[in-house]
Amino acid sequence: MGIFQRNEGLLIVLSGPSGAGKGTVSALLRERMPELTYSVSATTRPPRKGEKEGVNYFFKTRAEFERMIAEDQLLEWAEYVGNYYGTPRRLVEERLSEGKDVLLEIEVQGARQVKKRFPQGVFIFLIPPSLEELRRRIEQRGTESEEVVLSRLKRAEEELKEMSHYDYVVVNDQVERACERLCSIIAAEHCRVDRLLSGKTVTWGE
Amino acid sequence: MGIFQRNEGLLIVLSGPSGAGKGTVSALLRERMPELTYSVSATTRPPRKGEKEGVNYFFKTRAEFERMIAEDQLLEWAEYVGNYYGTPRRLVEERLSEGKDVLLEIEVQGARQVKKRFPQGVFIFLIPPSLEELRRRIEQRGTESEEVVLSRLKRAEEELKEMSHYDYVVVNDQVERACERLCSIIAAEHCRVDRLLSGKTVTWGE
């Protein structure tokens, strides 16, 4: 339409406690909205079965990761259950400035940092339907020791308190429904007057 | 789900300049979302062909309408091109308190009054794709004199300036697409953290 000159894409930050299902939901979302740029994170944790370099993560050594931190190459980073996770900043900033929407699927610690740099981002908190379900999901993953499961669960309970810093909360009761809600949120945000009018020239009427 | 106790429904205010297509879009929206309570307006303008009492409008004499104003029975009212239009308040307030979403399709003057009383409403500004298209739509309606067409068009240009007081702007390029955007906005608003947490007890985790 070109009625409003939209200069910048939306930065969509999908976060939430460990075990909420961020990975599954964001995978489906990327399928539904192929126009969304998915930001691949860097991490020092070892690849899980089936995970691919550059697709699921950029797998880094601790030394490599710490150099990225030192050189300010990361939009956010966090140490989480003994491993680093972070978002390489260049691709994100390039795509946003091209007017493309970018999806970050990140941990709660990282989302906090992104909010400081990009307060205009769309912050979405994904939660499982209950704490019992959360426990079940973390245990079912089966790739972690009992100690890690308990540590994740404790962290998840802490992280739930962060909800109030987000714009939206989406209950992941069913992956399909959660994904639909995300699509609605993205579509709605594109209609927000404050985004459309913020420093942009309205060229309506030509 | 019942994770969040939602006490109050959303008040969805669909407004915009005359000729934007509010009637057509809201008719389709009501079809798509039958759970939405549609607030039938009162008016002193004569029924157009096919319009039914209590369905499209409550048709009133000026004396009746002025009594409703005096008795504070109206949520908003406006005089527009020589006729009164207004929203009976009781049904709206009842449904909202029952937790049901209510759709108001009203003129820009009225929307301004509703915003004062219900700042928590979802204010959506519907616009036609261009001023040329707006002119075409008003003329095509064919039920108005040339004088009324010009008066409406002038008013519409003035009304466009009100956009910044709204939460969302939806371009009515195609009725189907405009309606989809409205559905997305409503779904997204139900996920807003500030709505879910405003004075409500979060019962998550049970």
Side-chain angles (χ1 to χ4, degrees), chain B residues 1-199:
Chain B
M1 288 302 307
I3 282 173
F4 297 98
Q5 290 289 340
R6 186 154 55 84
N7 297 324
E8 215 174 63
L10 295 176
L11 181 65
I12 297 138
V13 180
L14 181 65
S15 190
S18 169
K22 297 189 287 293
T24 321
V25 171
S26 82
L28 186 60
L29 182 63
R30 285 143 65 192
E31 214 174 272
R32 292 283 164 76
M33 303 185 81
E35 69 277 23
L36 215 54
T37 297
Y38 177 70
S39 161
V40 177
S41 297
T43 186
T44 58
R45 85 148 163 71
R48 290 188 192 133
K49 206 184 155 190
E51 286 183 340
K52 281 182 196 150
E53 165 73 14
V55 176
N56 305 93
Y57 284 99
F58 297 109
F59 295 100
K60 304 285 179 190
T61 64
R62 287 188 76 85
E64 286 168 337
F65 200 100
E66 282 163 2
R67 190 158 48 83
M68 292 174 82
I69 296 171
E71 290 175 0
D72 198 25
Q73 290 178 34
L74 297 168
L75 187 58
E76 56 81 29
W77 64 272
E79 198 166 1
Y80 186 70
V81 197
N83 289 304
Y84 284 127
Y85 296 80
T87 303
R89 68 184 307 140
R90 215 185 60 179
L91 183 72
V92 172
E93 292 179 348
E94 276 176 12
R95 292 298 160 87
L96 288 176
S97 68
E98 288 163 10
K100 295 197 179 117
D101 295 345
V102 176
L103 173 66
L104 299 191
E105 177 221 320
I106 54 179
E107 301 299 329
V108 167
Q109 288 183 48
R112 233 183 279 150
Q113 292 171 61
V114 175
K115 188 151 184 188
K116 275 180 202 147
R117 297 201 192 204
F118 284 90
Q120 76 276 33
V122 180
F123 290 82
I124 306 171
F125 199 68
L126 191 74
I127 59 173
S130 70
L131 273 182
E132 280 60 47
E133 177 60 18
L134 180 60
R135 188 190 311 269
R136 209 184 58 75
R137 289 184 194 176
I138 294 177
E139 285 170 353
Q140 212 177 31
R141 192 178 271 171
T143 53
E144 329 282 11
S145 68
E146 175 67 9
E147 192 190 346
V148 172
V149 167
L150 284 177
S151 155
R152 279 189 190 270
L153 201 59
K154 191 164 174 296
R155 176 71 66 111
E157 288 188 56
E158 279 303 306
E159 285 171 343
L160 274 171
K161 297 174 188 160
E162 303 253 338
M163 195 188 297
S164 61
H165 303 301
Y166 286 72
D167 301 307
Y168 298 95
V169 60
V170 169
V171 178
N172 185 15
D173 45 358
Q174 293 172 34
V175 177
E176 286 279 340
R177 288 180 60 185
C179 184
E180 263 171 42
R181 289 176 193 127
L182 291 175
C183 291
S184 292
I185 290 167
I186 294 167
E189 284 286 331
H190 278 294
C191 296
R192 284 197 74 89
V193 169
D194 49 6
R195 291 193 186 279
L196 292 166
L197 297 184
S198 63

Side-chain angles (χ1 to χ4, degrees), chain A residues 1 3-4 127-132 160 163-164 166-169 171 173 181 184-185 187-189 191-193 196-197 204-205, chain B residues 1 3-4 127-132 160 163-164 166-169 171 173 181 184-185 187-189 191-193 196-197 204-205:
Chain A
M1 289 300 308
I3 283 173
F4 297 98
I127 61 173
S130 70
L131 273 183
E132 279 60 47
L160 275 171
M163 195 188 295
S164 60
Y166 286 71
D167 300 307
Y168 297 95
V169 61
V171 178
D173 45 357
R181 290 178 192 126
S184 291
I185 290 167
E189 284 285 331
C191 296
R192 284 197 73 88
V193 168
L196 292 166
L197 297 184
W204 193 90
Chain B
M1 288 302 307
I3 282 173
F4 297 98
I127 59 173
S130 70
L131 273 182
E132 280 60 47
L160 274 171
M163 195 188 297
S164 61
Y166 286 72
D167 301 307
Y168 298 95
V169 60
V171 178
D173 45 358
R181 289 176 193 127
S184 292
I185 290 167
E189 284 286 331
C191 296
R192 284 197 74 89
V193 169
L196 292 166
L197 297 184
W204 193 89

Side-chain angles (χ1 to χ4, degrees), chain A residues 19 40 45 53 64 86 91 95 114 129 150 163 178 180:
Chain A
V40 177
R45 86 147 162 73
E53 166 74 14
E64 285 168 337
L91 183 72
R95 291 299 158 87
V114 176
L150 284 177
M163 195 188 295
E180 264 172 41

